[in-house]
Amino acid sequence: QLQLQESGPGVVRPSETLSLTCTVSGGSISSGYYWGWIRQTPGKGLEWVATAYYTGSKYYNPSLKSRVTISVDTSRKFFSLNLFSVTASDTGLYYCARGDENLYGDYVTWYFDLWGRGTMVVVSS
Amino acid sequence: EVVLTQSPGTLSLSPGERATLSCRASQSIYNSFLAWYQFKPGQAPRLLIFGASSRVRGVPDRFSGGGSGTDFTLTISRLEPEDFAVYYCQQYGSSPPLTFGGGTKVEI
């Protein structure tokens, strides 16, 4: 059974880069599903951050696009998120999840059928 | 951006009772592309419903989803002790970004 497990630093200093990894076990990361990050912050609640496909397609929340990158490492079966120039408002619980593809016009969109338990990130000096 | 408003914020019920949760969108959701999730502390969130009314395999049939356009509901016909949790709706039927509602807590 496929499982997702987030890992991260726990605490990040303001203005630095947050790097998170999601390890995929029990299944293939090249299976035709998408892979995404969703966060839950006190200020905005649940917020979609980014989604990627193993072939290299990447999609970002427009509100975060200038500060975030997502990547999929098919050989090592994990995907990762980098969030640059963090501030206190980036403090929250970060989830990785598997996305099921749907099409809205020219857009690819997803619901998330499998999630990790989340990793807590605190931005503090 | 589509805003999803969930109501009520908290639903206080007893086991065996019926729970009706509402999710209202700021604009019509294409093709009823709406999902419902169950969140419990320390656990991985669980997808319950997608496409507004399609139940995920393995989800008990006491969970049902309905609605279209801008108004959607999640109904739990008879609450079991394990159903007390926070429930979120998410729309994926608009231009980016996909968005989530603010959640409804179902408490004993």
Coordinates of all heavy atoms in Angstrom, one line a residue, chain B residues 19-104:
Chain B
A19 N -25.5 14.1 10.5 CA -24.8 15.4 10.4 C -24.9 15.9 8.9 O -24.7 15.1 8.0 CB -23.3 15.2 10.7
T20 N -25.2 17.1 8.8 CA -25.3 17.7 7.4 C -24.4 18.9 7.4 O -24.5 19.9 8.1 CB -26.7 18.2 7.1 OG1 -27.6 17.0 7.2 CG2 -26.8 18.7 5.7
L21 N -23.3 18.9 6.5 CA -22.3 19.9 6.4 C -22.5 20.6 5.1 O -22.7 19.9 4.0 CB -20.9 19.3 6.5 CG -20.4 18.8 7.8 CD1 -21.2 17.6 8.4 CD2 -18.9 18.4 7.7
S22 N -22.3 21.9 5.1 CA -22.5 22.7 3.9 C -21.2 23.3 3.4 O -20.4 23.7 4.2 CB -23.5 23.8 4.2 OG -23.6 24.7 3.1
C23 N -21.1 23.4 2.1 CA -20.0 24.0 1.4 C -20.6 24.9 0.3 O -21.2 24.3 -0.7 CB -19.0 23.0 0.9 SG -17.6 23.6 0.0
R24 N -20.4 26.2 0.4 CA -20.9 27.1 -0.6 C -19.8 27.8 -1.4 O -18.9 28.3 -0.7 CB -21.9 28.1 0.0 CG -22.4 29.1 -1.0 CD -23.6 29.8 -0.4 NE -24.8 28.9 -0.3 CZ -25.9 29.2 0.3 NH1 -26.1 30.4 0.8 NH2 -26.9 28.3 0.4
A25 N -19.8 27.8 -2.7 CA -18.8 28.4 -3.5 C -19.2 29.8 -4.0 O -20.3 30.1 -4.2 CB -18.5 27.5 -4.7
S26 N -18.2 30.6 -4.2 CA -18.4 32.0 -4.6 C -18.7 32.1 -6.1 O -19.2 33.1 -6.6 CB -17.1 32.8 -4.3 OG -16.0 32.3 -5.0
Q27 N -18.5 31.0 -6.8 CA -19.0 30.9 -8.2 C -19.2 29.4 -8.5 O -18.7 28.5 -7.8 CB -17.9 31.5 -9.2 CG -16.6 30.8 -9.2 CD -15.5 31.6 -9.9 OE1 -15.1 32.7 -9.5 NE2 -15.1 31.1 -11.1
S28 N -19.9 29.2 -9.6 CA -20.3 27.8 -9.9 C -19.0 27.0 -10.2 O -18.1 27.4 -10.8 CB -21.2 27.8 -11.2 OG -21.6 26.5 -11.5
I29 N -19.1 25.7 -9.6 CA -18.0 24.8 -9.8 C -18.2 23.9 -11.0 O -19.2 23.2 -11.1 CB -17.8 23.9 -8.5 CG1 -17.6 24.8 -7.3 CG2 -16.6 23.0 -8.7 CD1 -16.4 25.7 -7.4
Y30 N -17.3 24.0 -11.9 CA -17.4 23.2 -13.2 C -17.5 21.7 -12.9 O -16.7 21.2 -12.1 CB -16.2 23.5 -14.0 CG -16.0 22.6 -15.2 CD1 -16.7 22.8 -16.4 CD2 -15.1 21.6 -15.2 CE1 -16.6 22.0 -17.5 CE2 -14.9 20.7 -16.3 CZ -15.7 21.0 -17.4 OH -15.5 20.1 -18.5
N31 N -18.5 21.1 -13.5 CA -18.6 19.7 -13.5 C -18.7 19.1 -12.1 O -18.3 17.9 -11.9 CB -17.4 19.0 -14.3 CG -17.8 17.7 -14.9 OD1 -18.9 17.5 -15.2 ND2 -16.8 16.9 -15.2
S32 N -19.1 19.9 -11.1 CA -19.2 19.4 -9.7 C -17.8 18.9 -9.3 O -17.8 17.9 -8.6 CB -20.3 18.4 -9.6 OG -21.5 19.0 -9.8
F33 N -16.8 19.5 -9.7 CA -15.4 19.1 -9.2 C -15.2 19.6 -7.8 O -14.5 20.6 -7.5 CB -14.4 19.7 -10.1 CG -14.1 19.0 -11.4 CD1 -13.3 19.5 -12.4 CD2 -14.8 17.7 -11.7 CE1 -13.0 18.8 -13.6 CE2 -14.5 17.1 -12.9 CZ -13.7 17.6 -13.8
L34 N -15.8 18.8 -6.9 CA -15.7 19.2 -5.4 C -15.4 17.9 -4.6 O -16.0 16.9 -4.9 CB -17.0 19.8 -4.9 CG -16.8 20.4 -3.5 CD1 -16.8 21.9 -3.5 CD2 -17.9 19.8 -2.6
A35 N -14.5 18.0 -3.7 CA -14.1 16.9 -2.9 C -14.3 17.2 -1.4 O -14.3 18.4 -1.0 CB -12.6 16.5 -3.1
W36 N -14.4 16.2 -0.6 CA -14.6 16.3 0.8 C -13.5 15.4 1.5 O -13.2 14.3 1.1 CB -15.9 15.8 1.3 CG -17.1 16.7 1.0 CD1 -17.9 16.6 -0.1 CD2 -17.6 17.8 1.7 NE1 -18.9 17.6 -0.1 CE2 -18.7 18.3 1.0 CE3 -17.2 18.4 2.9 CZ2 -19.4 19.4 1.5 CZ3 -17.9 19.5 3.4 CH2 -19.0 20.0 2.7
Y37 N -12.9 16.0 2.5 CA -11.8 15.3 3.3 C -12.2 15.3 4.8 O -12.8 16.2 5.3 CB -10.5 16.0 3.1 CG -10.0 16.2 1.7 CD1 -10.4 17.2 0.9 CD2 -9.2 15.2 1.2 CE1 -9.9 17.4 -0.4 CE2 -8.7 15.3 -0.1 CZ -9.1 16.4 -0.9 OH -8.6 16.5 -2.2
Q38 N -11.6 14.3 5.4 CA -11.7 14.2 6.9 C -10.3 14.3 7.5 O -9.4 13.7 7.1 CB -12.3 12.8 7.3 CG -12.4 12.5 8.8 CD -12.8 11.1 9.0 OE1 -12.0 10.2 8.8 NE2 -14.0 10.8 9.5
F39 N -10.2 15.2 8.5 CA -9.0 15.5 9.1 C -9.1 15.1 10.6 O -10.0 15.6 11.3 CB -8.6 17.0 9.1 CG -7.9 17.4 7.8 CD1 -8.6 17.3 6.6 CD2 -6.7 18.0 7.8 CE1 -8.0 17.7 5.4 CE2 -6.1 18.4 6.6 CZ -6.7 18.2 5.4
K40 N -8.1 14.3 11.1 CA -8.0 14.0 12.5 C -6.6 14.3 13.0 O -5.6 14.1 12.2 CB -8.3 12.6 12.8 CG -9.8 12.2 12.5 CD -9.9 10.7 12.8 CE -11.4 10.2 12.6 NZ -11.6 8.8 12.9
P41 N -6.4 14.9 14.2 CA -5.1 15.2 14.6 C -4.1 14.0 14.6 O -4.5 12.9 15.0 CB -5.3 15.7 16.1 CG -6.8 16.1 16.1 CD -7.5 15.2 15.2
G42 N -2.9 14.3 14.1 CA -1.9 13.3 14.1 C -2.1 12.2 13.0 O -1.2 11.3 12.9
Q43 N -3.1 12.3 12.2 CA -3.3 11.3 11.2 C -3.2 11.9 9.8 O -3.4 13.1 9.6 CB -4.7 10.7 11.3 CG -4.9 9.9 12.6 CD -6.2 9.2 12.7 OE1 -6.9 8.9 11.6 NE2 -6.7 8.8 13.9
A44 N -3.0 11.1 8.8 CA -3.1 11.6 7.4 C -4.5 11.9 7.1 O -5.4 11.1 7.4 CB -2.5 10.5 6.5
P45 N -4.7 13.0 6.5 CA -6.1 13.4 6.0 C -6.6 12.3 5.1 O -5.8 11.6 4.4 CB -5.9 14.7 5.3 CG -4.7 15.3 6.0 CD -3.8 14.1 6.2
R46 N -7.9 12.2 5.0 CA -8.6 11.1 4.3 C -9.6 11.7 3.3 O -10.4 12.5 3.6 CB -9.3 10.2 5.2 CG -10.0 9.0 4.6 CD -10.8 8.3 5.7 NE -11.5 7.1 5.3 CZ -12.4 6.4 6.0 NH1 -12.8 6.9 7.1 NH2 -12.9 5.3 5.5
L47 N -9.4 11.3 2.0 CA -10.4 11.7 1.0 C -11.6 10.8 1.2 O -11.5 9.6 1.2 CB -9.8 11.5 -0.4 CG -10.7 11.7 -1.6 CD1 -11.1 13.2 -1.7 CD2 -10.1 11.2 -2.9
L48 N -12.8 11.5 1.2 CA -14.0 10.8 1.4 C -14.8 10.7 0.1 O -15.4 9.7 -0.3 CB -14.9 11.4 2.5 CG -14.3 11.6 3.9 CD1 -15.3 12.4 4.7 CD2 -14.1 10.2 4.5
I49 N -15.0 11.9 -0.5 CA -15.9 12.1 -1.7 C -15.1 12.9 -2.7 O -14.4 13.9 -2.4 CB -17.1 12.9 -1.3 CG1 -17.9 12.2 -0.2 CG2 -18.0 13.2 -2.5 CD1 -18.7 11.0 -0.6
F50 N -15.3 12.6 -4.0 CA -14.8 13.4 -5.1 C -15.9 13.5 -6.1 O -16.9 12.8 -6.1 CB -13.5 12.8 -5.7 CG -13.7 11.5 -6.4 CD1 -14.0 11.3 -7.7 CD2 -13.6 10.3 -5.6 CE1 -14.2 10.0 -8.3 CE2 -13.8 9.1 -6.1 CZ -14.1 8.9 -7.5
G51 N -15.8 14.5 -7.0 CA -16.9 14.7 -8.0 C -18.2 15.0 -7.3 O -19.3 14.6 -7.8
A52 N -18.2 15.6 -6.1 CA -19.4 16.0 -5.3 C -20.1 14.8 -4.7 O -20.6 15.0 -3.6 CB -20.3 16.8 -6.1
S53 N -20.2 13.7 -5.4 CA -21.0 12.6 -4.8 C -20.4 11.2 -5.0 O -21.1 10.2 -4.6 CB -22.4 12.6 -5.6 OG -22.2 12.4 -6.9
S54 N -19.2 11.1 -5.5 CA -18.6 9.8 -5.7 C -17.8 9.4 -4.4 O -16.9 10.1 -4.0 CB -17.7 9.8 -6.9 OG -18.4 10.0 -8.1
R55 N -18.3 8.3 -3.8 CA -17.6 7.9 -2.5 C -16.4 7.1 -2.9 O -16.4 6.2 -3.7 CB -18.6 7.1 -1.7 CG -18.1 6.8 -0.3 CD -19.1 5.9 0.4 NE -20.5 6.3 0.3 CZ -21.4 5.7 -0.4 NH1 -21.1 4.5 -1.0 NH2 -22.6 6.2 -0.4
V56 N -15.3 7.4 -2.1 CA -14.0 6.7 -2.3 C -14.2 5.2 -1.8 O -14.9 5.0 -0.8 CB -12.9 7.3 -1.6 CG1 -11.6 6.5 -1.6 CG2 -12.6 8.7 -2.1
R57 N -13.6 4.3 -2.5 CA -13.7 2.9 -2.1 C -13.2 2.7 -0.7 O -12.2 3.3 -0.3 CB -12.8 2.0 -3.1 CG -12.9 0.6 -2.8 CD -12.1 -0.2 -3.8 NE -12.5 0.1 -5.2 CZ -11.9 -0.4 -6.3 NH1 -10.9 -1.2 -6.1 NH2 -12.4 -0.2 -7.5
G58 N -14.0 2.0 0.1 CA -13.6 1.8 1.5 C -14.2 2.8 2.5 O -14.2 2.6 3.7
V59 N -14.8 3.9 2.0 CA -15.5 4.8 2.8 C -16.9 4.3 3.1 O -17.6 3.9 2.2 CB -15.5 6.2 2.1 CG1 -16.4 7.2 2.9 CG2 -14.1 6.8 2.0
P60 N -17.2 4.3 4.4 CA -18.6 3.7 4.7 C -19.7 4.4 4.0 O -19.6 5.7 3.8 CB -18.7 3.9 6.2 CG -17.2 4.0 6.7 CD -16.5 4.7 5.6
D61 N -20.8 3.7 3.7 CA -21.9 4.3 2.9 C -22.7 5.3 3.8 O -23.7 5.8 3.3 CB -22.7 3.3 2.3 CG -23.4 2.3 3.2 OD1 -23.3 2.5 4.5 OD2 -24.0 1.3 2.8
R62 N -22.4 5.4 5.1 CA -23.1 6.5 5.8 C -22.6 7.9 5.4 O -23.3 8.9 5.7 CB -22.9 6.3 7.3 CG -21.5 6.4 7.8 CD -21.4 6.2 9.3 NE -20.0 6.3 9.8 CZ -19.2 5.3 9.9 NH1 -19.6 4.0 9.5 NH2 -18.0 5.4 10.4
F63 N -21.5 7.9 4.7 CA -21.1 9.2 4.1 C -21.6 9.4 2.7 O -21.5 8.5 1.9 CB -19.5 9.2 4.0 CG -18.8 9.3 5.4 CD1 -18.5 8.2 6.1 CD2 -18.5 10.6 5.9 CE1 -17.8 8.2 7.3 CE2 -17.9 10.6 7.2 CZ -17.5 9.5 7.8
S64 N -22.3 10.5 2.5 CA -22.7 10.8 1.1 C -22.6 12.3 0.8 O -22.6 13.1 1.7 CB -24.2 10.4 1.0 OG -25.0 11.1 1.8
G65 N -22.3 12.5 -0.5 CA -22.1 13.9 -0.9 C -23.1 14.2 -2.0 O -23.6 13.4 -2.7
G66 N -23.5 15.5 -2.0 CA -24.5 16.0 -3.0 C -24.3 17.4 -3.4 O -23.4 18.1 -2.8
G67 N -25.1 17.9 -4.3 CA -25.1 19.3 -4.7 C -24.5 19.5 -6.1 O -23.9 18.6 -6.7
S68 N -24.6 20.7 -6.5 CA -24.0 21.1 -7.8 C -24.0 22.6 -7.8 O -24.6 23.3 -7.0 CB -24.9 20.6 -9.0 OG -26.2 21.1 -8.9
G69 N -23.3 23.2 -8.9 CA -23.3 24.6 -9.0 C -22.5 25.3 -7.9 O -21.2 25.2 -7.9
T70 N -23.1 25.9 -7.0 CA -22.4 26.6 -5.9 C -22.7 26.0 -4.5 O -22.1 26.4 -3.5 CB -22.8 28.1 -5.8 OG1 -24.2 28.2 -5.6 CG2 -22.4 28.8 -7.1
D71 N -23.6 25.1 -4.4 CA -24.0 24.5 -3.1 C -23.9 23.0 -3.0 O -24.4 22.3 -3.8 CB -25.5 24.9 -2.8 CG -25.7 26.4 -2.6 OD1 -25.1 26.9 -1.6 OD2 -26.4 27.0 -3.4
F72 N -23.1 22.6 -2.1 CA -22.7 21.2 -1.9 C -22.9 20.8 -0.4 O -22.8 21.7 0.5 CB -21.3 21.0 -2.3 CG -21.0 21.3 -3.8 CD1 -20.7 22.6 -4.1 CD2 -21.2 20.3 -4.7 CE1 -20.5 22.9 -5.5 CE2 -21.0 20.6 -6.1 CZ -20.6 21.9 -6.4
T73 N -23.2 19.5 -0.2 CA -23.4 19.0 1.1 C -22.7 17.7 1.3 O -22.5 16.9 0.4 CB -24.9 18.8 1.5 OG1 -25.4 17.9 0.6 CG2 -25.6 20.2 1.5
L74 N -22.2 17.5 2.5 CA -21.7 16.2 3.0 C -22.6 15.8 4.1 O -22.9 16.5 5.1 CB -20.3 16.3 3.5 CG -19.7 15.0 4.1 CD1 -19.5 13.9 3.0 CD2 -18.4 15.3 4.9
T75 N -23.2 14.6 4.0 CA -24.1 14.1 5.0 C -23.5 12.8 5.6 O -23.0 11.9 4.9 CB -25.5 13.7 4.4 OG1 -26.0 14.9 3.8 CG2 -26.4 13.2 5.5
I76 N -23.5 12.7 6.9 CA -23.2 11.5 7.6 C -24.5 11.0 8.3 O -25.0 11.7 9.2 CB -22.1 11.8 8.7 CG1 -20.9 12.6 8.1 CG2 -21.6 10.4 9.2 CD1 -19.9 13.0 9.1
S77 N -25.0 9.9 7.8 CA -26.3 9.5 8.1 C -26.5 9.2 9.6 O -27.5 9.5 10.2 CB -26.8 8.4 7.3 OG -25.9 7.3 7.4
R78 N -25.5 8.4 10.1 CA -25.6 8.1 11.6 C -24.1 8.1 12.1 O -23.3 7.3 11.7 CB -26.1 6.6 11.7 CG -27.6 6.4 11.3 CD -28.0 4.9 11.4 NE -27.0 4.1 10.7 CZ -26.9 3.9 9.4 NH1 -27.8 4.5 8.6 NH2 -26.0 3.2 8.9
L79 N -23.9 9.1 12.9 CA -22.5 9.3 13.4 C -22.0 8.2 14.2 O -22.7 7.7 15.2 CB -22.5 10.6 14.2 CG -22.5 11.9 13.4 CD1 -22.8 13.1 14.3 CD2 -21.1 12.1 12.7
E80 N -20.8 7.7 13.9 CA -20.1 6.8 14.7 C -19.0 7.5 15.5 O -18.6 8.6 15.1 CB -19.4 5.7 13.8 CG -20.4 4.9 13.0 CD -21.2 3.8 13.9 OE1 -20.7 3.5 15.0 OE2 -22.2 3.4 13.4
P81 N -18.5 6.9 16.6 CA -17.5 7.6 17.4 C -16.3 8.1 16.6 O -15.8 9.2 16.8 CB -17.1 6.6 18.4 CG -18.4 5.8 18.6 CD -19.0 5.7 17.2
E82 N -15.9 7.3 15.6 CA -14.7 7.6 14.8 C -15.0 8.8 13.8 O -14.1 9.2 13.1 CB -14.2 6.4 14.1 CG -15.1 5.8 13.1 CD -16.0 4.7 13.7 OE1 -16.2 4.7 14.9 OE2 -16.4 3.8 12.9
D83 N -16.2 9.2 13.6 CA -16.5 10.3 12.7 C -16.3 11.7 13.2 O -16.4 12.6 12.4 CB -18.0 10.1 12.2 CG -18.3 8.8 11.5 OD1 -17.3 8.2 11.0 OD2 -19.4 8.4 11.5
F84 N -16.1 11.8 14.5 CA -15.9 13.1 15.1 C -14.5 13.6 14.7 O -13.5 13.0 15.1 CB -16.1 13.1 16.6 CG -17.6 12.8 16.9 CD1 -18.0 11.5 17.1 CD2 -18.5 13.8 17.0 CE1 -19.4 11.2 17.4 CE2 -19.8 13.6 17.3 CZ -20.3 12.3 17.5
A85 N -14.5 14.7 13.9 CA -13.3 15.1 13.2 C -13.6 16.5 12.6 O -14.7 17.0 12.8 CB -12.9 14.1 12.1
V86 N -12.7 17.0 11.8 CA -12.9 18.2 11.0 C -13.0 17.8 9.6 O -12.2 17.0 9.1 CB -11.7 19.2 11.2 CG1 -12.0 20.5 10.5 CG2 -11.6 19.5 12.7
Y87 N -13.9 18.4 8.9 CA -14.2 18.1 7.5 C -14.0 19.3 6.6 O -14.4 20.4 7.0 CB -15.6 17.6 7.3 CG -15.8 16.2 8.0 CD1 -16.1 16.2 9.4 CD2 -15.7 15.0 7.3 CE1 -16.3 15.0 10.0 CE2 -15.8 13.8 7.9 CZ -16.1 13.8 9.3 OH -16.2 12.6 9.9
Y88 N -13.3 19.1 5.5 CA -13.0 20.2 4.6 C -13.5 19.9 3.2 O -13.4 18.7 2.8 CB -11.5 20.5 4.5 CG -10.9 21.0 5.7 CD1 -10.3 20.2 6.7 CD2 -10.8 22.4 6.0 CE1 -9.7 20.7 7.9 CE2 -10.2 22.9 7.1 CZ -9.7 22.1 8.0 OH -9.1 22.6 9.2
C89 N -14.0 20.9 2.5 CA -14.3 20.7 1.1 C -13.2 21.4 0.3 O -12.5 22.3 0.8 CB -15.7 21.3 0.7 SG -15.9 23.1 1.1
Q90 N -13.0 20.9 -0.9 CA -12.0 21.5 -1.8 C -12.6 21.5 -3.2 O -13.2 20.5 -3.7 CB -10.8 20.6 -1.8 CG -9.7 21.0 -2.8 CD -9.1 19.9 -3.7 OE1 -8.9 18.8 -3.2 NE2 -8.9 20.2 -4.9
Q91 N -12.4 22.6 -4.0 CA -12.9 22.6 -5.3 C -11.7 22.5 -6.3 O -10.6 23.1 -6.0 CB -13.7 23.9 -5.6 CG -12.9 25.2 -5.5 CD -12.1 25.5 -6.8 OE1 -12.4 25.0 -7.9 NE2 -11.1 26.4 -6.6
Y92 N -11.9 21.8 -7.4 CA -10.9 21.7 -8.4 C -11.5 21.9 -9.8 O -11.0 21.4 -10.8 CB -10.2 20.3 -8.3 CG -11.1 19.1 -8.3 CD1 -11.3 18.3 -9.4 CD2 -11.7 18.7 -7.1 CE1 -12.1 17.2 -9.4 CE2 -12.6 17.6 -7.1 CZ -12.8 16.9 -8.2 OH -13.6 15.8 -8.2
G93 N -12.5 22.7 -9.8 CA -13.2 23.0 -11.0 C -13.2 24.5 -11.4 O -14.2 25.0 -11.8
S94 N -12.0 25.1 -11.4 CA -11.8 26.4 -11.8 C -10.4 26.6 -12.2 O -9.5 25.8 -12.0 CB -12.2 27.4 -10.6 OG -11.2 27.4 -9.7
S95 N -10.1 27.8 -12.7 CA -8.7 28.2 -13.0 C -7.9 28.2 -11.7 O -8.5 28.5 -10.6 CB -8.6 29.5 -13.8 OG -9.3 30.5 -13.0
P96 N -6.6 28.0 -11.7 CA -5.8 28.0 -10.5 C -6.0 29.3 -9.7 O -6.2 30.3 -10.2 CB -4.4 27.9 -11.0 CG -4.5 27.2 -12.3 CD -5.8 27.8 -12.9
P97 N -5.9 29.2 -8.4 CA -5.6 28.0 -7.6 C -6.8 27.1 -7.2 O -7.9 27.7 -7.1 CB -4.9 28.5 -6.4 CG -5.7 29.8 -6.1 CD -6.0 30.3 -7.5
L98 N -6.6 25.8 -7.1 CA -7.6 25.1 -6.4 C -7.7 25.6 -4.9 O -6.7 26.1 -4.4 CB -7.4 23.6 -6.5 CG -6.1 23.0 -5.9 CD1 -6.1 22.7 -4.5 CD2 -5.7 21.7 -6.7
T99 N -8.8 25.5 -4.3 CA -9.0 26.1 -3.0 C -9.8 25.2 -2.1 O -10.5 24.3 -2.5 CB -9.8 27.4 -3.1 OG1 -11.0 27.2 -3.8 CG2 -8.9 28.5 -3.7
F100 N -9.6 25.4 -0.8 CA -10.3 24.6 0.3 C -11.2 25.5 1.1 O -11.0 26.8 1.1 CB -9.2 24.1 1.2 CG -8.3 23.0 0.7 CD1 -7.2 23.3 -0.1 CD2 -8.6 21.6 0.9 CE1 -6.4 22.4 -0.6 CE2 -7.8 20.7 0.3 CZ -6.7 21.0 -0.4
G101 N -12.2 24.9 1.7 CA -13.0 25.7 2.6 C -12.4 25.8 4.0 O -11.3 25.3 4.2
G102 N -13.0 26.5 4.9 CA -12.5 26.8 6.2 C -12.7 25.6 7.2 O -12.2 25.7 8.3
G103 N -13.5 24.6 6.8 CA -13.7 23.5 7.7 C -14.9 23.5 8.6 O -15.3 24.6 9.0
T104 N -15.4 22.4 8.9 CA -16.5 22.2 9.9 C -16.0 21.1 10.9 O -15.7 20.0 10.5 CB -17.8 21.7 9.2 OG1 -18.4 22.8 8.4 CG2 -18.8 21.3 10.3

